[in-house]
Amino acid sequence: MSLTSTQSGDARVITVSADRIDAAMAIQFKEDMRAETEGGPDRIILDLSAVTFIDSSGLGAIVASMKQLGANRKLDLAGLTPVVDKVFRLTRMDTVFNLFASLDDALADGVN
Amino acid sequence: MNLNRRRDGFALSFRATELEARAGICAVASQLKERGLSEDKAGDVEIALAEAINNVVEHAYTGIEPGKVRVRCTFHVNRLDVRICDMGHPLPSNQLPAGEAANLDVDRQDLPEGGFGWFMIRQIASDISYQREEGHNLLSLGFDLPCTQP
């Protein structure tokens, strides 16, 4: 399991401990996300600050994780490192997700 | 994985499995940084290279025993050439895919979960060519480098 989750206010924070979300782990990631997001709050914050690389398979797994949440819940992304941030911008997936520079920023946004 | 260092670059090869591909991609990125590429530029090359190699693993060797993937990086004055060679199936119609941007203007449940690879390669690489020769696929990716690079 590459994910750990904690509750913070009205959000569930899921932290990725792997340094890469790539083709070799995309399916496992999606399954782990399903397990970690079963039930619980409507807002999920995925903390990506430990992830230094993502490929299109990993990106697809994050999109799939958002879709499997259902319509009334949302997946926000926090702590994108430079390469991860670039992949989201290149593919314009930065227009689909809310991206926060850090977990603190993501949590502060939920308060306001 | 085999790694050969040369004066003007390096070459490596590995078997076309997801895990060996990951190790190969990481090795290329670390060699590029060792040879003075910035984190930013090495990150760009790693994104494009990973997509190209994942395509080989997922498509070129689909349904057959995974063979070798060979990657050769050559530095020029202001340019890096990356050649990726495999002995798998050719690209469809022996042509580079168009790699158009995915349509994101759809309902959430219809968002694409793939098909970003060639688009990203085309966004990052300054030129791309593909040749099918004698049972080999040869993909060449060129990347512009600042003039101060080796």
Side-chain angles (χ1 to χ4, degrees):
Chain A
M1 177 71 83
S2 56
L3 308 176
T4 52
S5 62
T6 54
Q7 199 71 18
S8 185
D10 57 2
R12 173 167 293 169
V13 177
I14 300 179
T15 304
V16 185
S17 53
D19 62 348
R20 300 174 78 83
I21 308 179
D22 61 10
M25 74 102 71
I27 291 171
Q28 185 68 49
F29 175 86
K30 185 179 160 184
E31 284 172 9
D32 290 352
M33 280 294 284
R34 188 191 296 278
E36 293 293 330
T37 58
E38 221 155 358
D42 285 347
R43 186 183 188 212
I44 314 286
I45 304 170
L46 187 64
D47 182 358
L48 293 166
S49 53
V51 180
T52 56
F53 185 82
I54 189 167
D55 64 14
S56 62
S57 304
L59 179 68
I62 291 181
V63 174
S65 302
M66 184 256 278
K67 287 160 72 170
Q68 70 196 8
L69 285 177
N72 299 321
R73 301 173 76 202
K74 68 172 176 172
L75 179 63
D76 289 342
L77 308 178
L80 282 72
T81 59
V83 173
V84 177
D85 188 69
K86 178 130 194 182
V87 167
F88 274 83
R89 288 181 198 289
L90 276 177
T91 57
R92 291 184 47 249
M93 279 294 172
D94 60 327
T95 64
V96 169
F97 293 90
N98 291 322
L99 308 185
F100 295 93
S102 69
L103 179 57
D104 283 348
D105 287 353
L107 291 170
D109 187 74
V111 174
N112 295 331
Chain B
M1 180 174 60
N2 285 313
L3 172 66
N4 291 304
R5 293 179 175 83
R6 304 193 320 273
R7 190 184 49 78
D8 62 345
F10 56 92
L12 55 80
S13 65
F14 50 86
R15 221 162 70 90
T17 66
E18 286 178 342
L19 286 174
E20 290 199 35
R22 174 194 280 170
I25 293 160
C26 289
V28 171
S30 100
Q31 281 293 309
L32 293 176
K33 284 179 233 175
E34 231 173 77
R35 285 169 184 259
L37 245 70
S38 66
E39 288 282 334
D40 193 42
K41 198 74 207 181
D44 280 2
V45 176
E46 187 175 1
I47 292 170
L49 177 73
E51 298 306 330
I53 290 176
N54 288 344
N55 285 335
V56 171
V57 174
E58 287 167 33
H59 302 299
Y61 286 115
T62 187
I64 54 176
E65 180 70 16
K68 287 272 182 198
V69 184
R70 294 174 213 279
V71 180
R72 169 172 292 215
C73 295
T74 309
F75 286 96
H76 302 284
V77 175
N78 52 7
R79 181 188 150 87
L80 170 70
D81 279 329
V82 180
R83 287 156 61 95
I84 300 153
C85 184
D86 69 77
M87 291 172 285
H89 302 300
L91 285 174
S93 313
N94 281 339
Q95 277 184 350
L96 286 166
E100 280 156 15
N103 179 17
L104 304 184
D105 192 19
V106 294
D107 289 344
R108 174 156 127 166
Q109 287 308 318
D110 297 327
L111 281 169
E113 296 173 28
F116 313 110
W118 282 105
F119 178 72
M120 285 201 280
I121 294 170
R122 288 185 180 279
Q123 293 284 299
I124 293 171
S126 53
D127 56 76
I128 308 174
S129 70
Y130 168 72
Q131 286 169 280
R132 175 76 183 179
E133 275 175 10
E134 295 170 0
H136 291 69
N137 294 308
L138 179 59
L139 180 70
S140 297
L141 305 178
F143 301 90
D144 294 331
L145 297 180
C147 289
T148 51
Q149 295 294 338

